[in-house]
């Protein structure tokens, strides 16, 4: 089979095309492209079928696990594919590790070290119990996230653009610094003991629930990350589509009940906005995929992310 690889503008990427066996897979084609152009490793490649003039639908993305003949309309002699360079990529584990490492390291610096003298506060800082528990709570959360990244999560996509490392680190590291500065500040005024105990207790319950939600999601995928979309069931997933986001949001509500800082609430609002967008997208996809037609199961009625609100 001769495969012609073109850009979206129609320019031929591999001059003369690539000759492959009739039984070759998309993965074989990606490796062949990589052998011709060394910087274009498979994770950096996005291959689609060309659209006809005037077509406005989304192009069909070639799956690396399928045979090229599956996309050749019955002809095993030739195929044209459209190539897009996705740019430098990193694994999702690398991305998550670095974005979570920052808050895990930065927060204790403000708790353990006399950094506030560089901001004009020369007097010895009095550490309140709520500040100590906040530090433990915070570090447990991000340590848990890193452990889940390596031992729990299964990713449907192997890589993410390198630029996302800088964007995500900027988000997490900035908020980590912002919150740590004010929660550990020498002028920090703690809430009453009952309130911070309720806040941390509720938040810790949500952290444990969040871990269990991730275990449920893990079991929906095979070890290589395949499995496609499935209806998550069990525990909080019986009442809410994105229970993992629900518990994530509520655990930060618990943290803010206990610590009461503007920085913490701004982080909560930002996280809520981001995760709500993800949750709405997933909820719509699941409802569309599982519409109860042609033998497909019907997606049950559930909250999206934040019961009892929506």
């Amino acid at each position: 089979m001769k495969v012609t690889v073109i850009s979206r503008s129609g320019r031929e990427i591999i001059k003369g095309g690539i000759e492959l066996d009739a039984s070759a897979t998309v993965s074989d084609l990606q490796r062949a492209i990589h052998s011709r152009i060394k910087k274009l490793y498979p994770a950096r490649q996005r291959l689609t079928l060309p659209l006809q003039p005037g077509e406005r639908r989304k192009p069909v993305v070639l799956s690396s696990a399928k045979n090229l003949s599956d996309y050749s309309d019955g002809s095993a002699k030739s195929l044209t594919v459209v190539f897009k360079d996705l740019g430098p990529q990193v694994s999702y584990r690398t991305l998550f590790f670095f974005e979570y490492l920052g808050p895990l390291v930065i927060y204790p610096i403000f708790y353990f070290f006399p950094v506030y003298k560089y901001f004009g506060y020369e007097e010895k800082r009095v550490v309140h119990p709520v500040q100590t528990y906040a530090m433990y709570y915070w570090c447990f959360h991000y340590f848990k996230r890193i452990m889940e990244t390596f031992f729990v999560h299964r990713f449907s996509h192997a890589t993410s653009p390198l630029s996302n490392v800088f964007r995500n680190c900027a988000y997490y590291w900035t908020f980590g610094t912002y919150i740590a500065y004010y929660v550990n500040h020498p002028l920090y005024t703690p809430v009453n003991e009952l309130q911070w105990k309720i806040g941390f207790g509720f938040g810790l319950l949500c952290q444990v629930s969040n871990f269990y939600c991730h275990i449920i999601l893990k079991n929906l995928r095979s070890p290589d990350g395949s499995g496609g979309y499935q209806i998550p069931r069990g525990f909080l997933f019986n009442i809410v589509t994105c229970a993992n986001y629900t518990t994530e949001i509520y655990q930060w509500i618990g943290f803010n009940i206990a610590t009461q800082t503007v920085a913490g609430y701004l982080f909560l609002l930002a996280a809520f906005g981001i995760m709500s967008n993800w949750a709405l997208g997933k909820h719509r996809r699941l409802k569309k995929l599982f519409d109860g037609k042609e033998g497909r199961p019907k997606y049950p009625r559930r909250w999206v992310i934040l019961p009892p609100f929506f």
Side-chain angles (χ1 to χ4, degrees):
M1 173 185 287
K2 181 179 180 179
V3 182
T4 302
V5 184
I6 62 174
S7 67
R8 287 184 291 178
S9 64
R11 179 177 61 86
E12 195 171 9
I13 301 295
I14 307 293
K15 299 297 183 182
I18 298 174
E19 291 288 345
L20 294 170
D21 293 337
S23 60
T25 64
V26 174
S27 182
D28 293 329
L29 173 59
Q30 290 177 316
R31 286 193 291 268
I33 294 173
H34 181 214
S35 68
R36 301 285 188 91
I37 307 176
K38 294 301 181 183
K39 73 173 185 177
L40 299 179
Y41 45 87
R44 189 167 172 165
Q45 302 173 29
R46 181 176 183 264
L47 302 175
T48 61
L49 295 179
L51 294 175
Q52 298 301 317
E55 281 190 293
R56 296 185 179 276
R57 62 180 176 84
K58 290 184 178 180
V60 175
V61 179
L62 276 60
S63 170
S64 60
K66 288 190 175 183
N67 291 330
L68 289 171
S69 58
D70 295 335
Y71 299 101
S72 61
D73 295 329
S75 172
K77 294 183 178 180
S78 65
L79 178 68
T80 299
V81 299
V82 179
F83 169 86
K84 180 182 179 181
D85 181 6
L86 299 177
Q89 302 284 301
V90 296
S91 72
Y92 269 98
R93 286 189 170 86
T94 299
L95 170 65
F96 288 167
F97 172 74
F98 281 106
E99 70 183 41
Y100 299 150
L101 180 65
L104 180 61
V105 172
I106 291 170
Y107 195 102
I109 291 174
F110 284 86
Y111 178 84
F112 286 109
F113 297 97
V115 296
Y116 291 96
K117 69 179 182 180
Y118 300 107
F119 297 97
Y121 298 95
E122 298 292 343
E123 296 182 10
K124 185 177 180 180
R125 182 168 65 98
V126 176
V127 179
H128 302 285
V130 65
Q131 293 173 308
T132 300
Y133 283 105
M135 189 271 296
Y136 288 140
Y137 183 99
W138 180 278
C139 291
F140 172 75
H141 171 76
Y142 283 102
F143 177 77
K144 165 183 161 292
R145 280 196 168 191
I146 290 175
M147 292 299 102
E148 288 174 337
T149 295
F150 288 103
F151 302 109
V152 177
H153 293 323
R154 290 173 177 171
F155 303 100
S156 57
H157 299 287
T159 62
S160 173
L162 177 62
S163 59
N164 286 351
V165 175
F166 302 101
R167 182 196 65 187
N168 290 18
C169 285
Y171 170 78
Y172 280 103
W173 294 30
T174 300
F175 266 118
T177 303
Y178 186 31
I179 294 170
Y181 176 83
Y182 282 105
V183 174
N184 295 291
H185 199 280
L187 301 181
Y188 175 78
T189 302
V191 298
N192 65 71
E193 183 176 350
L194 177 61
Q195 181 172 331
W196 65 255
K197 284 183 176 179
I198 290 173
F200 286 139
F202 173 70
L204 186 60
L205 177 64
C206 291
Q207 291 217 46
V208 174
S209 299
N210 180 257
F211 172 74
Y212 186 53
C213 288
H214 288 157
I215 294 295
I216 292 174
L217 292 176
K218 172 190 176 182
N219 293 332
L220 294 178
R221 294 188 182 276
S222 60
D224 63 358
S226 61
Y229 283 104
Q230 299 183 49
I231 300 176
R233 302 183 188 276
F235 192 45
L236 297 176
F237 286 106
N238 290 333
I239 60 172
V240 61
T241 294
C242 295
N244 51 320
Y245 297 155
T246 304
T247 50
E248 178 79 13
I249 291 169
Y250 279 127
Q251 72 184 19
W252 287 119
I253 290 176
F255 179 84
N256 281 291
I257 288 172
T259 56
Q260 292 292 310
T261 64
V262 172
Y265 280 110
L266 288 176
F267 178 58
L268 173 62
L269 287 173
F272 173 72
I274 293 169
M275 285 186 278
S276 293
N277 186 48
W278 294 342
L280 286 167
K282 183 175 182 179
H283 188 76
R284 293 190 188 106
R285 283 193 297 272
L286 289 173
K287 288 184 69 176
K288 183 177 180 180
L289 286 170
F290 302 103
D291 54 8
K293 300 176 181 178
E294 299 178 358
R296 293 184 292 270
K298 185 172 179 60
Y299 191 72
R301 184 178 177 85
R302 292 176 178 174
W303 300 102
V304 178
I305 184 174
L306 201 66
F309 304 106
F310 79 96

